[in-house]
């Protein structure tokens, strides 16, 4: 089973990295989600499948045998929520970028800001006055 | 008193929350400054406590050590938190004087407090997965700050920053997952005791994953191109915060992980770090020399000088680590001062493109002096704090027989001086290219934080002994992980 | 959306969903549920109401703007974490006491904070998206 999951993680990582390297930002975002899933599966697998590490119990308490290690699940849940927040922010960011820059192709975006160094609002007012 | 340790976390959080609840702009402004000042105060108290009683640890929620989440403050953490407080105060003063109503309305104050919350959490946590969570907290805050106001340049820079940060986050997550799989632990002190049982080859591979993840955050060679593409984009009250704090979190994580966990194959891992340090130093400063825009130039200087901090880590001797820690502290102050100064110059001249600036020496001679203080400190001239930082590192390099890196370090110091000299010539010395309008009123307040930071770097330079002693204590603790482990695992047993 | 069925049923469903969300919130300590899930259900209730009766009608049913709710939620969570201070225990230590036979503790208060935070954050996101969708249709 571990071998199978290892191949799955490898495959997902390959797909994720490939997509993240594409110039289109939506492809990048989907690549991030795929790669994030690969990372979560990896944590899940490296926490051992089955019940080698049962949950902690009070001294003298009974250890329930068919219970899996809960820690990786807690880690994955945290990582999923964080990934969810990042992806949501990414969608909004790219939506705004599309509105302002009129492209979602990363290669079409300007490389350098030297032509227009970010003005502060105060300076924008000054430019208008000239 | 374990509460002193969590105060640097609670203060920014509480300030941020109050800013959200109150929502009125004047209240937020006052809160921003009060929060930063009390953060500085609590950080100072924490440092005094750590210095007097050794490494402090607190188990959140009263769960015993390897199971719950631990916060630890040793000298390194406490010093980093302290300088974070200094930068926070300076930037808060600057933001107050800027009066950028648009971004204040959009939530600058809650977000910057959230950023400080994340940065302090990353410095103080003793748990590797928790470190990941703190990284995400500060990243999310920084993403929003980066594009706050939504100008074209900010969005272009923000997309790059976002993309690179996402990748480094996943790399970090994967590295943590694999390390957990190999050892079954996440508490850093607990991990340190278990590293011996892992196959050395696997450990080195894991070390490389962490080097990649933190290297991306710290913007070292070959991962530094995102930084100059994004940091100049937001207004200075945001980018100074980033420049002072964010990369140092990456450096801190590198120092922590490569002194506490990955010290098995020092010849390979730390040798590699030394190469990275040299290349970062050299390429960064060369790129800085080629820039025509002040904030991009400063961003490349920022990248270049990260190399000095890695140099000490790569040599890994007590003196070298002292130099690294001292350099990080000094650099946070100096680079924040230079970024704030860049904002001030932009306010005065309406641009930060060097060819379009000029004539300031004639109109504001004292401003030229104010520029030279942090600039000389950056280049490492006595009597500024940068001199002692470089001096310690070079001495450590000579002691260890690493002549190549010492040569690079000295050469980069010279090139930095050249680069700062060019800026001085362009901005202050040469005549103004066109008649510039009068500066808009109310820029006087912007000088205050710059003066504070400049005086601080001069003060540390003239009276280096206390901070150098504290850095030395930090280095000693880093090289003897036993004390760290005892403080964390021995507390509640 | 302007259907009579949705408009009528959404009134009932709104109340029912809010009740369900509170139920989930309080049940969360030992059984599946909790502040996060409860808030998601409550957001669902408001989203449904906004869909049926328009954004402004849904806004009127809120005591505070969503982002302010986030602030209050965080404040509640922070206060629950600080209670341990007065008992000289580390941050976030759970403190329990009994009130008329009902066990109440700081984890419950923390969960209420989570509820408010998630509710406010998601609702402001949904309202924001809805608004920008409408302005784009209009323009």
């Amino acid at each position: 089973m571990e071998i199978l999951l290892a191949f799955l993680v490898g495959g997902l990582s390959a797909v994720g990295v490939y997509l993240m390297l594409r110039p289109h930002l939506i492809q990048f975002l989907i690549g991030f989600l795929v790669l994030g899933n690969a990372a979560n599966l990896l944590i899940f697998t490296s926490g051992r499948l089955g019940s080698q590490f049962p949950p902690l119990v009070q001294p003298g308490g009974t250890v329930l045998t068919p219970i899996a290690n809960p820690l990786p699940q807690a880690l994955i849940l945290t990582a999923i929520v964080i990934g969810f927040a990042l992806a949501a922010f990414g969608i909004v960011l790219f939506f705004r970028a599309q509105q302002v820059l009129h492209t979602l192709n990363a290669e079409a975006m300007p490389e350098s800001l030297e032509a227009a160094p970010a003005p502060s609002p105060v300076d924008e007012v000054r430019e208008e006055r000239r | 008193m374990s509460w002193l340790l969590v105060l640097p976390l609670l203060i920014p959080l509480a300030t941020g929350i109050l800013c959200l609840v109150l929502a009125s702009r004047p209240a937020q402004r006052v809160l921003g400054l009060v929060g930063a000042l009390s953060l500085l105060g609590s950080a100072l108290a924490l440092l005094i406590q750590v210095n007097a009683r050794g490494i402090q640890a607190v188990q959140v929620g009263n769960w015993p050590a390897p199971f719950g989440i631990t916060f630890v403050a040793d000298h390194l953490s406490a010093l980093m938190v302290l300088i974070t407080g200094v930068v926070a105060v300076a930037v808060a003063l600057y933001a107050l004087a800027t009066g950028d109503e648009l971004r204040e309305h959009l939530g600058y104050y809650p977000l910057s407090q959230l950023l400080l919350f994340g940065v302090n959490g990353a410095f103080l946590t003793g748990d590797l997965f928790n470190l990941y969570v703190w990284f995400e907290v500060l990243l999310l805050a920084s993403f929003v700050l980066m594009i706050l106001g939504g100008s074209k340049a900010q969005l272009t820079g923000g997309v790059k920053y976002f993309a690179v940060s996402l990748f480094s986050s996943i790399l970090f997550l994967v590295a943590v997952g694999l390390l957990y799989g190999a050892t079954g632990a996440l508490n850093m002190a607990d991990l340190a005791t278990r590293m011996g049982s892992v196959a050395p080859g696997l450990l080195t591979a894991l070390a490389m994953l962490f080097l990649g993840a933190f290297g991306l955050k710290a913007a070292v060679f070959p991962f530094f191109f995102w930084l100059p593409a994004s940091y100049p984009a937001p207004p200075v009250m945001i980018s100074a915060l980033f420049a002072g704090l964010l990369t140092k979190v990456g450096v801190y994580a590198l120092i922590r992980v490569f002194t506490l966990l990955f010290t098995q194959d020092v010849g390979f891992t730390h040798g590699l770090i030394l190469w990275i340090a040299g290349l970062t130093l050299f390429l960064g400063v060369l790129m800085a020399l080629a820039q025509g825009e002040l904030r991009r130039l400063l961003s490349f200087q920022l990248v270049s000088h990260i190399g000095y901090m890695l140099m000490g880590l790569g040599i890994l001797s007590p003196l070298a680590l002292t130099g690294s820690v001292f350099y990080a502290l000094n650099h946070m102050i100096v680079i924040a001062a230079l970024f704030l100064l860049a904002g001030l110059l932009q306010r005065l001249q309406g641009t930060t493109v060097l060819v379009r600036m000029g004539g300031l020496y004639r109109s504001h001679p004292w401003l030229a002096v104010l520029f030279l203080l942090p600039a000389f400190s950056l280049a490492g001239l006595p009597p500024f704090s940068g001199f002692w930082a470089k001096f310690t590192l070079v001495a450590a390099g000579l002691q260890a027989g690493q002549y190549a890196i010492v040569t690079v370090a000295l050469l980069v110091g010279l090139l930095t001086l050249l680069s700062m000299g060019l800026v001085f010539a362009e901005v202050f010395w040469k005549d103004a290219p066109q008649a510039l309008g009068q500066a808009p009123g109310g820029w006087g307040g912007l000088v205050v934080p710059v003066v504070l930071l400049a005086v601080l770097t001069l003060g540390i330079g003239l009276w280096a002994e206390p901070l150098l002693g504290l850095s030395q204590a930090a280095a000693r603790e880093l090289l003897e992980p036993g004390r760290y482990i005892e403080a964390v695992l021995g507390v509640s047993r | 959306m302007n259907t009579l069925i949705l408009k009528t049923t959404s009134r009932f469903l709104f109340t029912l969903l809010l009740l369900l969300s509170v139920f989930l919130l309080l049940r969360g300590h030992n059984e599946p549920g909790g502040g996060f899930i409860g808030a998601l259900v409550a957001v669902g209730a408001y989203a449904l109401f906004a869909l049926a009766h328009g954004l402004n009608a849904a806004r009127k049913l809120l005591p505070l703007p969503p982002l302010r709710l986030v602030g209050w939620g965080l404040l509640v969570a922070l206060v629950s974490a600080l209670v341990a201070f007065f008992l000289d225990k580390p941050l976030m230590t759970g403190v329990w006491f009994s009130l008329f036979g009902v066990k109440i503790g700081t984890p419950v208060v923390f969960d209420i904070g989570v509820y408010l935070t998630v509710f406010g954050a998601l609702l402001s996101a949904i309202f924001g998206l809805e608004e920008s969708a409408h302005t784009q249709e209009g323009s």
Side-chain angles (χ1 to χ4, degrees), chain A residues 28 32 36 39 42 46 48 56 69 71 75 82 86 89-90 93 100-101 110-111 114 117-118 121 123 126, chain B residues 67 100 103 129 136 143 152 155-156 160 162-163 166 170 174 177 180-181 186 233 291 293 295-296 346-347 350:
Chain A
F28 170 86
F32 164 70
L42 182 103
S46 58
R48 304 297 187 278
L56 299 169
N69 184 1
L71 187 60
L75 300 184
I82 290 174
L86 289 176
F89 177 80
L93 172 67
V100 174
L101 304 169
E111 181 73 28
E114 268 171 49
D123 301 313
R126 281 188 77 198
Chain B
F67 309 118
D100 186 338
R103 291 188 173 83
F129 191 80
E136 299 307 315
F143 289 155
K152 211 168 185 171
L155 281 168
T156 338
K160 288 167 192 156
F162 178 72
L166 279 197
I170 291 205
V174 166
Y180 174 70
L186 285 169
Q291 299 307 314
E293 198 265 337
R295 282 199 256 168
R296 253 176 95 80
Q346 183 181 25
R347 180 67 79 85

Side-chain angles (χ1 to χ4, degrees), chain A:
Chain A
M1 193 61 190
E2 274 90 349
I3 300 286
L4 214 65
L5 277 170
F7 273 105
L8 185 59
V9 169
L12 282 176
S13 309
V15 172
V17 169
Y18 174 77
L19 281 173
M20 280 179 100
L21 289 174
R22 305 292 302 161
H24 199 274
L25 287 178
I26 296 301
Q27 280 174 318
F28 170 86
L29 203 65
I30 294 170
F32 164 70
L33 291 175
V34 173
L35 197 60
N37 280 335
N40 290 339
L41 263 181
L42 182 103
I43 296 177
F44 184 65
T45 318
S46 58
R48 304 297 187 278
L49 308 171
S51 51
Q52 283 99 321
F53 296 108
L56 299 169
V57 289
Q58 300 274 341
T62 45
V63 181
L64 302 166
T65 37
I67 284 192
N69 184 1
L71 187 60
Q73 301 178 17
L75 300 184
I76 293 169
L77 190 62
T78 314
I80 287 176
V81 173
I82 290 174
F84 170 71
L86 289 176
F89 177 80
I91 291 168
V92 177
L93 172 67
F94 295 160
F95 177 65
R96 287 284 297 158
Q98 159 80 36
Q99 280 182 331
V100 174
L101 304 169
H102 306 294
T103 177
L104 275 180
N105 188 337
E107 283 174 8
M109 287 185 180
E111 181 73 28
S112 144
L113 309 164
E114 268 171 49
S120 73
V122 181
D123 301 313
E124 274 165 18
V125 174
R126 281 188 77 198
E127 296 284 326
E128 279 162 19
R129 275 196 204 137
R130 270 186 204 160

Side-chain angles (χ1 to χ4, degrees), chain B residues 390-464:
Chain B
K390 281 203 180 63
F391 180 77
T392 319
L393 280 172
V394 167
L398 290 177
Q399 212 176 46
Q402 302 278 8
Y403 298 115
I405 191 80
V406 169
T407 317
V408 173
L410 289 175
L411 185 67
V412 168
L414 271 181
L415 290 174
T416 305
L417 189 60
L418 175 64
S419 154
M420 285 294 124
L422 284 175
V423 172
F424 185 76
E426 287 281 337
V427 177
F428 294 98
W429 206 246
K430 81 166 189 241
D431 288 326
Q434 74 229 21
L436 291 161
Q438 279 296 308
W443 56 275
L446 299 180
V447 184
V448 176
V450 186
V451 170
L452 274 180
L453 292 176
V455 167
L456 198 58
T457 172
L458 184 63
I460 293 173
L462 291 175
W463 197 39

Side-chain angles (χ1 to χ4, degrees), chain B residues 19-89:
Chain B
C19 284
L20 263 182
V21 172
L22 290 176
S24 87
R25 265 199 316 113
Q28 288 196 4
R29 292 170 151 211
V30 174
L31 270 172
L33 188 60
V34 170
L37 281 172
S38 36
L39 172 61
L40 182 60
S42 72
L44 203 60
L46 177 63
L47 182 64
I48 291 168
Q49 169 115 355
V50 168
N51 203 30
R53 297 197 208 161
I55 301 173
Q56 304 285 307
V58 58
Q59 318 295 343
V60 176
N62 221 358
W63 295 97
F67 309 118
I69 289 169
T70 313
F71 285 115
V72 198
D74 58 356
H75 272 90
L76 176 63
S77 302
L79 280 169
M80 290 304 236
V81 171
L82 177 68
I83 306 293
T84 303
V86 172
V87 174
V89 169

